[in-house]
Amino acid sequence: MRNSNFIIAAALLALTVAAPSFATGVPNGAKIFIAPMDNGLDGFLAPEIIKKKVPVVIVTDETQAEYVLAGASLKADDKWYHTVFGGKDKNEGNVTLINVKEKRVIWAGEAGDRSLWLGGWSRGGQRKVADRIVSKLKHDMF
């Protein structure tokens, strides 16, 4: 019984010491470049990052960046029956956060603008998509 408690304690100590090496988060103050995206999603991501106080520095020169935020945005058809029946998102976006030095994707997220409660009657658009993406980014990486 004593040996098993010692082994469990040693394993927990080893995991505690090794835990920082498993971290994949972005360090505070990291320089991020937001790549141009179709439908202007990049123009909404920067203000949302600032508004939500994500602890990064947005740079305008890609050569100075440690990370690049790249992605795409889609605008669906605006049919009346999607609004009435709450069918699907009018706007969708997806982004990936790429570590420039290691050339690997460290985070990816996607979001739409549809409201679960109000369906197509609520306010949506690229701003809501950006808001949801940045919220996920901040939650997952910081």
Side-chain angles (χ1 to χ4, degrees):
M1 185 71 173
R2 276 184 132 171
N3 284 341
S4 64
N5 287 342
F6 177 74
I7 291 171
I8 291 171
L12 288 174
L13 179 63
L15 285 174
T16 304
V17 171
S21 66
F22 295 136
T24 59
V26 175
N28 290 349
K31 295 177 183 175
I32 293 183
F33 174 75
I34 302 173
M37 300 175 200
D38 21 326
N39 293 328
L41 182 60
D42 55 314
F44 291 100
L45 288 170
E48 286 298 326
I49 288 172
I50 294 168
K51 183 172 108 178
K52 294 192 178 298
K53 298 182 175 146
V54 179
V56 296
V57 176
I58 300 171
V59 295
T60 57
D61 184 8
E62 189 172 0
T63 60
Q64 295 179 351
E66 300 167 312
Y67 300 90
V68 173
L69 193 62
S73 174
L74 298 165
K75 182 164 176 60
D77 56 349
D78 198 11
K79 304 289 185 188
W80 67 270
Y81 47 84
H82 292 308
T83 302
V84 173
F85 300 116
K88 60 182 183 176
D89 296 319
K90 290 182 183 177
N91 294 284
E92 297 177 59
N94 63 61
V95 297
T96 55
L97 187 62
I98 302 164
N99 184 321
V100 174
K101 186 177 181 180
E102 298 175 8
K103 295 192 181 351
R104 68 181 180 100
V105 174
I106 61 167
W107 181 83
E110 63 182 356
D113 66 346
R114 183 170 48 120
S115 171
L116 294 176
W117 296 103
L118 299 174
W121 298 107
S122 70
R123 185 170 171 222
Q126 297 288 32
R127 183 176 292 131
K128 185 178 270 188
V129 172
D131 173 59
R132 289 178 176 174
I133 288 173
V134 171
S135 293
K136 289 177 185 179
L137 173 69
K138 185 175 181 182
H139 178 266
D140 293 347
M141 301 306 287
F142 299 96

